[in-house]
Amino acid sequence: MAFNKDQFDSIIEEFTVDGSRLHEVAADFRYDLRKGLQDPAESSLRMLKSYVGLPTGEETGEYLALDFGGTNVRVLRIRLDGHGKFEVLKKVAKPLRVEGIYDFVGEGSTAEQQFDFIAELVDEAIEGDHTTKYLLGHTFSFPSEQTNLYNAKLIIWTKEFATKGVEGKVVNDLLKEALHRQGIDNVEPTAVINDTVAVLLAAAYKQEDTYIGSIYATGHNTCYFEPFADKAERPMILNLESGGFMKLAPNRFDAEFDAQSEKPGEQRLEKMVSGRYMGELFGMALAELLGEQGSKYGFTSIDMSNTILDETPAREEVKAIVKAKTGRELETADCELVQQLASAIVIRSARLVTATYVGIIWQLAGGKAIAKQHIAIDGSVYEKMPLAKENIMRALSELLGEDAAVVDTVLENGGSGLGAAIAAAMSQE
Ligand code: BGC
């Protein structure tokens, strides 16, 4: 074995969230939630109002849905048939960046270029029809301050986006202007929602007892339906921007990565748990084990997934992945340690995410019995990353004990598009 076992053990220790820490995170999250309901300035959670409640199931009709939340932008034409039924009539998708060809997410790009590109995609979805009236729901998956369902101002880019001239702007105004420049005046953007809100709307359209919506993918965030029992507000979904939760114990890899990121100090939870970042943390820890501290290897969460899944006796897959990214040939015993490292990072991620869900569940229960409920989750990490789901279930049991029996998680695949269409329909209620 080439790795130093003591060094390895101490790295694993740094990525471990034990039972008592897990409880602390859940309790701290609930604390921030309570504080945030009184005054968001007192909390690390943004508690952004969505101005939308839960759907009744009666929402019907044909709508456009724009899903803008990562490098891949999608526009869908969707017909809602009520009570969870719907049909996607047309779907177009394009990346906002193609390496070496164009880039509408980097700092060299402008708001006009970005939204013109999106407007062209809308044009494709309506097949050049500039007469039929369409309402458009827009899932915009970045922290935005809303004053109503239409008016959402981007507070700050996340997920390493850096396009100039969007922060501080009303995104639907940028979209409307771009649509107008393309001669598309028959499409009216009427609602902007976060992707977590879209997931919750989509799930609640299909089944009752769903109050929490979450994205566990490239980025991470959660929203929930706040009943505002004290009548301070009308009941509505709050986008927590939980990726910005701060009451955590970042290890030195987290701290070092944060310092080099686009927005140091922001999105501390997201940088510890989401798909965009786990590969980076894995690479940093591996660099230390290889005696190449500071090297950047460009591991992705897909590499981590493939690493964990390799069951070949000689760990051929792990060897190939490590060789491709670092140029180093590992012995089988070291490959097994690399698998443990990847697993530890994924397990930490799932445990931290679950602690935030439980913080919300506790807050909603308000000291009374925990209601039967589903947590709706969308995203590649939840869906595809080995060990994620089982560790969410395990952490739910650890935190909730017997009450875990009334809580389950459901995959709300593609909720961003469906949710946007539902929001467009709800904008007319
Ligand atoms: C954004 C959130 C979004 C999440 C998942 C985060 O980076 O700040 O608004 O919900 O990613 O897409």
Side-chain angles (χ1 to χ4, degrees), residues 175-195:
L175 175 65
K176 242 182 165 166
E177 286 155 20
L179 289 170
H180 184 67
R181 283 194 290 276
Q182 310 265 334
I184 310 171
D185 292 314
N186 53 323
V187 171
E188 192 192 343
T190 58
V192 183
I193 52 173
N194 186 259
D195 51 356

Side-chain angles (χ1 to χ4, degrees), residues 393-423:
M393 295 321 285
R394 202 168 290 158
L396 277 174
S397 294
E398 259 178 80
L399 288 166
L400 295 174
E402 283 180 7
D403 291 339
V406 296
V407 180
D408 68 358
T409 60
V410 288
L411 173 67
E412 183 44 63
N413 211 341
S416 288
L418 175 58
I422 296 169

Side-chain angles (χ1 to χ4, degrees), residues 309-326:
L309 289 173
D310 183 10
E311 286 180 355
T312 60
R315 300 298 188 260
E316 298 300 350
E317 180 72 17
V318 182
K319 276 182 193 154
I321 294 168
V322 172
K323 176 89 194 351
K325 293 279 156 87
T326 70

Side-chain angles (χ1 to χ4, degrees), residues 117-325:
F117 182 80
I118 292 171
E120 276 171 33
L121 216 57
V122 172
D123 209 15
E124 267 186 55
I126 55 175
E127 296 168 271
D129 168 5
H130 291 185
T131 34
T132 312
K133 273 257 169 235
Y134 286 107
L135 300 184
L136 179 144
H138 180 177
T139 296
F140 183 67
S141 317
F142 301 92
S144 308
E145 181 100 60
Q146 301 206 204
T147 54
N148 55 44
L149 192 51
Y150 170 90
N151 190 301
K153 239 184 231 173
L154 172 61
I155 302 171
I156 185 172
W157 280 128
T158 54
K159 295 177 268 208
E160 312 298 300
F161 270 53
T163 308
K164 297 246 163 57
V166 190
E167 285 175 337
K169 294 280 167 50
V170 174
V171 288
N172 259 356
D173 286 351
L174 295 175
L175 175 65
K176 242 182 165 166
E177 286 155 20
L179 289 170
H180 184 67
R181 283 194 290 276
Q182 310 265 334
I184 310 171
D185 292 314
N186 53 323
V187 171
E188 192 192 343
T190 58
V192 183
I193 52 173
N194 186 259
D195 51 356
T196 56
V197 177
V199 164
L200 178 51
L201 291 181
Y205 189 58
K206 296 176 192 159
Q207 67 181 340
E208 290 183 339
D209 305 326
T210 313
Y211 312 107
I212 297 175
S214 185
I215 298 284
Y216 192 8
T218 308
H220 170 63
N221 184 17
T222 301
C223 72
Y224 79 103
F225 177 68
E226 170 57 53
F228 284 114
D230 59 2
K231 310 253 182 323
E233 294 275 351
R234 74 176 153 94
M236 69 170 79
I237 301 171
L238 296 179
N239 165 15
L240 299 178
E241 286 297 328
S242 61
F245 181 59
M246 290 287 266
K247 296 206 170 80
L248 296 159
N251 65 27
R252 63 205 158 87
F253 301 106
D254 300 315
E256 193 184 323
F257 178 74
D258 175 59
Q260 305 160 3
S261 67
E262 274 287 344
K263 298 263 158 69
E266 304 281 342
Q267 301 299 99
R268 298 305 296 263
L269 174 65
E270 184 169 55
K271 287 173 188 160
M272 293 167 81
V273 303
S274 83
R276 170 69 183 73
Y277 302 105
M278 276 194 280
E280 309 263 9
L281 297 172
F282 172 71
M284 289 169 78
L286 186 57
E288 238 180 65
L289 291 166
L290 291 170
E292 297 180 353
Q293 196 163 359
S295 293
K296 293 257 172 300
Y297 302 129
F299 283 104
T300 64
S301 49
I302 296 173
D303 294 326
M304 289 174 73
S305 169
N306 292 334
T307 295
I308 296 169
L309 289 173
D310 183 10
E311 286 180 355
T312 60
R315 300 298 188 260
E316 298 300 350
E317 180 72 17
V318 182
K319 276 182 193 154
I321 294 168
V322 172
K323 176 89 194 351
K325 293 279 156 87

Side-chain angles (χ1 to χ4, degrees), residues 35-48:
K35 276 272 162 210
L37 284 170
Q38 293 152 6
D39 177 7
E42 295 282 302
S43 168
S44 68
L45 300 171
R46 290 187 191 267
M47 316 287 298
L48 301 170

Side-chain angles (χ1 to χ4, degrees), residues 21-39:
R21 184 72 201 117
L22 186 72
H23 271 88
E24 264 168 35
V25 177
D28 286 344
F29 195 86
R30 183 188 178 187
Y31 176 87
D32 260 20
L33 204 56
R34 255 203 321 244
K35 276 272 162 210
L37 284 170
Q38 293 152 6
D39 177 7

